[in-house]
Amino acid sequence: MAKNNVNEMSFLDHLEDLRWHLIRIFTAIVICGFVAFLFKDFIFHIIFAPTKMGFPTYKTLCQVSQFFGFNDSTFCSDEFPFIIQSRKFASQFSAHIWTSFYAGFIISFPYVLYQLWKFISPGMKTNERKHSRGFIIISSILFFIGVLFGYYIISPLSINFLGTYQVSDQVDNQFDLDNYVGLIRASVIASGIIFELPIIIYFLTKVGLVTPEFLKKYRKFALVIVLVFSAIITPPDIASQIIVAIPILILYQVSIFISKMVVKNQKKKQKKDVKVS
């Protein structure tokens, strides 16, 4: 367990401390996942609704398409030209279990951050802990915004394109349940993690691994990486890639600003220490 003075802890003590934090994290995810498991109908009938043309994203994109004169847009169809099927005995149960686990992770994310913070914070200085006081709240907000972005933007765009794409009229689209559920889970979790970029840059700047100059210098490369990443996780059309790329680029710019603030505060502290000495 954690001791009051981190300097008195041995390596084995740190491992023991980490073990208990990981146990608490895993327990929280399992408990939240069990609750999600009980709400099977809500999750698979309501949450996994991007296959229904009444989904808010499709309605909005249909209105936009009609505004620009694209009345035959796939966003305005009555239903998708595919079915979701389960071709293995344990497929539905497996999808239920893993979806509940991922849901448990999303629901318990603030607590997961809290436990990680409890493990890391004893090694930080008092002023560092003070300036990082809102870490859990800000990180959680960014994560949930990313989850919503993945759910309402990436998932429906991907499902709409892949579900309506055909190489031939003689080939029917019949997707496995695991593939469909996995696509939504991956989109949601990946987006949530991506939106943590400002927090990651903050800590990398704190430890000296990243500087504002470094981020500015490689901004062009970051732009290329973002566009490539957007092309991978979205349908291969320009509009979808731009929709995904814009918030990521904004996050990158915000990360540069945060890095500047961290360096500025560090320089102020150094000047103050020099005056005191």
Side-chain angles (χ1 to χ4, degrees):
M1 301 294 291
K3 296 184 179 181
N4 293 329
N5 189 351
V6 69
N7 294 324
E8 297 177 359
M9 296 178 64
S10 65
F11 178 72
L12 292 179
D13 290 331
H14 281 293
L15 288 180
E16 178 68 10
D17 187 34
L18 177 61
R19 185 174 75 90
W20 279 104
H21 285 297
L22 292 177
I23 289 174
R24 295 188 189 100
I25 289 173
F26 181 76
T27 302
I29 294 175
V30 170
I31 292 174
C32 292
F34 178 74
V35 174
F37 185 87
L38 299 177
F39 287 87
K40 178 184 69 174
D41 291 339
F42 175 76
I43 291 177
F44 285 93
H45 291 172
I46 305 299
I47 300 299
F48 283 88
T51 52
K52 301 176 182 178
M53 294 310 300
F55 194 67
T57 303
Y58 299 137
K59 286 184 176 181
T60 302
L61 292 175
C62 177
Q63 293 173 355
V64 173
S65 299
Q66 291 177 342
F67 177 80
F68 287 103
F70 300 104
N71 296 320
D72 58 344
S73 171
T74 56
F75 296 114
C76 301
S77 303
D78 295 329
E79 60 181 10
F80 280 116
F82 66 82
I83 62 172
I84 299 175
Q85 58 184 351
S86 175
R87 298 187 299 175
K88 298 179 181 178
F89 280 114
S91 180
Q92 294 196 48
F93 181 72
S94 176
H96 189 189
I97 290 290
W98 280 109
T99 300
S100 300
F101 180 82
Y102 280 96
F105 172 76
I106 293 173
I107 296 170
S108 63
F109 187 76
Y111 182 78
V112 172
L113 286 179
Y114 172 74
Q115 287 298 324
L116 293 175
W117 179 251
K118 290 284 288 182
F119 176 72
I120 296 172
S121 59
M124 301 175 67
K125 297 179 182 179
T126 304
N127 63 325
E128 291 177 336
R129 287 198 296 268
K130 181 180 178 182
H131 288 99
S132 306
R133 190 172 296 169
F135 162 73
I136 296 175
I137 296 176
I138 296 175
S139 297
S140 299
I141 291 175
L142 288 173
F143 178 78
F144 289 129
I145 291 175
V147 166
L148 292 175
F149 180 78
Y151 179 70
Y152 282 104
I153 303 297
I154 296 181
S155 294
L157 288 176
S158 300
I159 291 172
N160 179 268
F161 175 79
L162 297 174
T164 58
Y165 184 82
Q166 286 183 295
V167 294
S168 172
D169 293 336
Q170 299 179 11
V171 181
D172 294 329
N173 283 332
Q174 299 179 4
F175 302 120
D176 286 340
L177 176 64
D178 290 337
N179 290 57
Y180 166 69
V181 173
L183 173 65
I184 297 180
R185 288 194 312 233
S187 300
V188 166
I189 296 296
S191 298
I193 294 174
I194 289 172
F195 272 64
E196 293 293 312
L197 179 62
I199 302 298
I200 296 173
I201 294 298
Y202 172 82
F203 283 103
L204 290 178
T205 305
K206 290 286 288 184
V207 299
L209 295 178
V210 168
T211 63
E213 292 73 21
F214 175 84
L215 295 174
K216 290 180 181 178
K217 179 180 179 181
Y218 292 97
R219 191 183 346 226
K220 294 180 179 179
F221 296 97
L223 174 61
V224 174
I225 294 174
V226 167
L227 292 176
V228 171
F229 179 79
S230 301
I232 292 174
I233 66 175
T234 61
D237 63 89
I238 300 299
S240 300
Q241 293 172 19
I242 291 176
I243 289 173
V244 174
I246 287 176
I248 299 178
L249 292 175
I250 292 175
L251 287 172
Y252 189 84
Q253 192 61 40
V254 171
S255 300
I256 294 177
F257 175 77
I258 291 175
S259 183
K260 284 182 179 179
M261 294 300 297
V262 172
V263 172
K264 183 179 179 180
N265 291 333
Q266 288 178 339
K267 289 181 178 179
K268 285 183 178 180
K269 183 179 179 299
Q270 290 175 356
K271 290 180 180 179
K272 188 180 294 185
D273 292 340
V274 171
K275 291 180 179 180
V276 172
S277 59

